[in-house]
Amino acid sequence: MSQTIAELTAILSDTPELTVTEPEPGFPVIDVQSPVSSATIALHGAQVLTWAPTDHPPVLYVSPKAKMISGTPLRGGIPICWPWFGDHAEEPSNPSHGFARTRFWELVSGGLEGKVATLVFKLVPDDETKKIFPHDFELTATIRMADKLRVKLKMKNTGEDPFKVSCALHTYLSLGDIERIQLEGVKGSHYVDRLSDCDVPIYQEKNLQIKGEVDRIYQSMASVLIRDLDRFRSVFIDKAGSRSTVIWNPWKEKSKALADLPDKAYKEFVCVECANAGTDKPTLRPDGSHTLETVIGLRPLG
Ligand code: TA6
């Protein structure tokens, strides 16, 4: 469990636009009503669950079957995958996508300046994490929202030994209809197809349209733009501190296979993940740090 509701409420007491609720017992969430957008952020995983500018449909997707249970990944929003992306390279029993998304983070501060709401969360090691990741670290997640959503993950090595990490801001973007979108920004880059055994990078000739299961690590520092013809809008996903972008859609079979996804959910989201994954794995030296950041917002369809 994280801080108590009373402790969380005290930290936010100067800002009536930031309130604490508990949609499930022991699962506190911060509701944000900024002058230009609204959001919800769970203490569990410091996970942004929802965000949208006022009077707009959701920008992030959360599965209606997502579980709000301590220690269980919540399907949707922006899970923070750290200190490894995907399955653990040596120990398959370790949790997929690391442990940061399934632990309660500490709320450090929350406030509103003008139209911008800012929340800061921190995660440090505990006895459980040290069993599977024997290093000292400090993670800081800074979440800023107004007419854009900015999530910044700073990872610091506070120990004596260097360590390598892979990670991702595993963003679920809400769509009108997966078959009426086009992803721009990956054309001309190379990707590793995680659905195949071959890890030779493949050239992406055109803008990406999704017509089946996609699970790719694009070797790219570029922003991605989702042109959503159904919702008549574009969504931009900018990033910093990342040379790899993961794009994932489970399509029909995997949507059916995942218990926390409705069968037709594949039509309603795509993951565009600002990452340090594949060959893009930073090494943190003692007292060194790395920052991974994503900025998400809306644009006219154009
Ligand atoms: O980011 C793509 C991916 O690694 C896919 O392979 C799929 O496993 C997805 O993440 C969801 O992972 P999760 O552990 O949240 O079910």
Side-chain angles (χ1 to χ4, degrees):
M1 172 64 181
S2 75
Q3 296 133 300
T4 65
I5 300 294
E7 288 167 333
L8 295 168
T9 303
I11 293 170
L12 302 176
S13 59
D14 296 340
T15 314
E17 294 82 359
L18 307 178
T19 54
V20 185
T21 60
E22 213 172 10
E24 292 293 336
F27 202 92
V29 165
I30 297 171
D31 292 320
V32 179
Q33 291 297 334
S34 96
V36 292
S37 66
S38 59
T40 51
I41 300 98
L43 274 292
H44 190 262
Q47 188 166 342
V48 180
L49 303 180
T50 66
W51 174 75
T54 307
D55 299 332
H56 278 266
V59 177
L60 304 180
Y61 172 84
V62 177
S63 169
K65 298 172 83 173
K67 305 275 185 269
M68 289 188 165
I69 301 170
S70 172
T72 299
L74 191 154
R75 177 82 57 201
I78 308 180
I80 296 176
C81 302
W82 194 92
W84 57 81
F85 175 80
D87 295 330
H88 190 277
E90 286 87 40
E91 185 46 70
S93 66
N94 284 343
S96 169
H97 288 323
F99 51 76
R101 66 174 178 168
T102 52
R103 313 198 76 68
F104 285 102
W105 290 48
E106 177 194 352
L107 177 65
V108 174
S109 63
L112 185 71
E113 285 185 36
K115 295 181 178 176
V116 183
T118 301
L119 292 167
V120 180
F121 300 86
K122 191 168 74 170
L123 184 72
V124 293
D126 58 38
D127 293 344
E128 292 306 306
T129 64
K130 289 207 168 186
K131 288 177 192 163
I132 55 176
F133 186 70
H135 302 288
D136 288 319
F137 63 85
E138 181 178 273
L139 287 187
T140 305
T142 304
I143 300 164
R144 284 197 176 87
M145 61 221 92
D147 57 349
K148 288 183 283 193
L149 171 64
R150 182 184 293 267
V151 177
K152 182 156 69 171
L153 177 69
K154 180 177 179 182
M155 52 203 90
K156 182 172 182 180
N157 180 346
T158 55
E160 308 293 323
D161 308 305
F163 57 77
K164 195 179 273 285
V165 296
S166 57
C167 47
L169 299 174
H170 195 297
T171 306
Y172 287 71
L173 286 307
S174 175
L175 305 173
D177 180 347
I178 188 85
E179 296 181 63
R180 299 195 65 218
I181 67 155
Q182 173 171 280
L183 283 90
E184 300 177 359
V186 291
K187 182 167 75 172
S189 63
H190 288 79
Y191 66 88
V192 172
D193 184 351
R194 300 180 80 233
L195 300 175
S196 86
D197 296 334
C198 172
D199 59 6
V200 175
I202 301 166
Y203 182 66
Q204 179 70 41
E205 279 188 54
K206 300 176 183 162
N207 290 326
L208 178 61
Q209 291 179 315
I210 295 178
K211 301 182 175 13
E213 185 179 357
V214 169
D215 192 348
R216 301 174 179 178
I217 300 178
Y218 282 86
Q219 297 163 347
S220 168
M221 296 170 70
S223 300
V224 170
L225 185 76
I226 301 173
R227 301 184 80 248
D228 185 333
L229 300 177
D230 191 78
R231 288 204 174 141
F232 207 67
R233 72 184 188 187
S234 291
V235 182
F236 66 82
I237 302 98
D238 294 346
K239 65 175 187 174
S242 161
R243 290 188 175 81
S244 46
T245 300
V246 179
I247 294 185
W248 177 60
N249 182 278
W251 210 246
K252 299 176 182 176
E253 292 319 309
K254 199 158 280 181
S255 278
K256 285 194 187 116
L258 290 168
D260 57 356
L261 263 187
D263 291 355
K264 299 284 189 198
Y266 71 94
K267 291 178 72 69
E268 300 174 26
F269 76 90
V270 63
C271 286
V272 178
E273 308 161 33
C274 302
N276 296 123
T279 55
D280 169 29
K281 290 192 181 79
T283 297
L284 299 186
R285 307 211 175 287
D287 212 31
S289 63
H290 172 69
T291 298
L292 177 63
E293 183 172 21
T294 190
V295 183
I296 297 161
L298 299 179
R299 283 207 187 109
L301 187 57

